[in-house]
Amino acid sequence: MHISLKTLPQEILLNIGNRFRPHDLASLLLVDTALNDTLTECLYISIRIGKNFEQIIGCLSTLSTDTTIGSGTRDLAGLVRSFHIVAPRHNYPYLHQEAYIVYLQGLLGNTLRRLRNLRNLYLGVPVIFTSHALAELLASENRTLLSMHVMMSSSENTPSRALLELLPSASAPATTIPSLVSIGVHCLAPEYAPFVGELLAYRKEFLIELCLLNSINYGVVRCALGEVSEPFSALQKLSLNPRYFFLSDFPHSAFPLLHTLVLDSDAPENRSTPSGYRDVPYDVYPKLEELSCDVLDLPSILREDTPAAKRRNVHTLQLNEATYDRYLERSKLPFVTPEWDKVVRTIVDVLGPLGGPLRHLSFHASEINFGELEHSIPRSLERLESLLIDVSESPELELDVNVESVCDLLSKLPHLHTLLFSDDALELVDSEHFAIAKDRDRQQEIVNIWGQRSPALRRVAFTTVVEWIQIGGGWVPVDD
């Protein structure tokens, strides 16, 4: 029986459209007018731009005006739910031209005013545009915005006073953006800290997520957090740099319901231990379940001297920025690359006294030794469900994988369903040494062996290029 796409119910078509990559979906929409009318929503519901300024200008121009589609016009901006814009890596000379800056500011501001159904916003652009964009956004009375993450670093090209004058009173979002529950301010500079502090003060009892990564100094962080006599009573996720988090006067008690803590690794020059550093008190963060930090900082958070009744039930642990998102994006390596024995020692010494079983573990290390890990697994890892090992270089991975050592490891992890590796460093430096990355037949042999030894295993990846998924009793490769 022949079935045409046009005869499928709209909800099924939308489900299919959401599975396309943006480029492929855009090509499909050019083929058929009917599909264009139905699936355009899938293309515009989530937008991520920043490849170059031409792409940014083209997208903003499209969203800032009504577009002709089929027999009529359509407000494409009204379809957007998530808008992510980052500055291109290459700095274009005309960014220093005042006329061009004013043009791009107006284009961005006009677009933001039209995104009336926007839920999530990320502006990774120079502050010269961020200040203007925030002014337009807060004035637009967007009542649907849930999440806003922006860059607010100092500008070398435009006087700070001129940028500050663009910002309205931060009390405006209390009424004009009543749904805002997630705020991220990256690279916060001193001149913008009072504005951010006022904004956080008005949203303090409603905020669920707060990010203040890479702030210029600790004074800026404290200014943004404001008075801590009234805690962030609903906050569940906090992202901060460790050099501020471990200071003796950091207000740990201001986050009683914190569920997720992200401490991104500092650059080596910022890792010296000031005299004001101290371990985290064991009577704070009683609800903590997900933790991302450097392996060197872990003992200061999950302290061995914590009384049994105060132990935190952390079920997800990410060490040295080894996250699945970074694994997929193949971005730069973390600042700190610990040796394998330090990672294993931390797993044994620190994870043993956890308040509950760890279910998800990911870490970055300079090498890998499955045998050592297999012999050192504490009881707290027996319930592990997913394991991501992100290695920069390892003799065991350069030519092949020690299949039997992994089998022994899997035998001690009966609940493990996901096992991932990353070859990003080898792939960038000398991929010829990592033969298994190109040998899919050998990969399939290995996953078949592991699947037989570990019935729970459902997902394996040796590289960032292809994953193996178990479907119907067999293993199927899925390209990135």
Side-chain angles (χ1 to χ4, degrees), residues 37 74 173 176 186 212 236 250 274 301 309 328 341 379 387 401 437 468:
D37 290 338
R74 190 169 186 179
T176 60
H186 303 253
L212 292 174
Q236 296 183 19
F250 184 80
I301 304 172
L328 281 182
D341 61 339
R379 292 182 60 86
L387 176 61
V401 173
W468 291 87

Side-chain angles (χ1 to χ4, degrees), residues 218 240-250 252 263-281 294 296-297 300:
Y218 183 56
L240 196 67
N241 291 89
R243 65 181 181 272
Y244 305 141
F245 182 79
F246 290 107
L247 289 175
S248 58
D249 63 339
F250 184 80
H252 294 290
L263 300 176
D264 268 14
S265 296
D266 287 317
E269 60 269 20
N270 294 325
R271 288 207 58 83
S272 57
T273 303
S275 58
Y277 266 35
R278 69 167 183 173
D279 292 344
V280 177
D294 190 283
L296 301 177
D297 295 326
S300 297

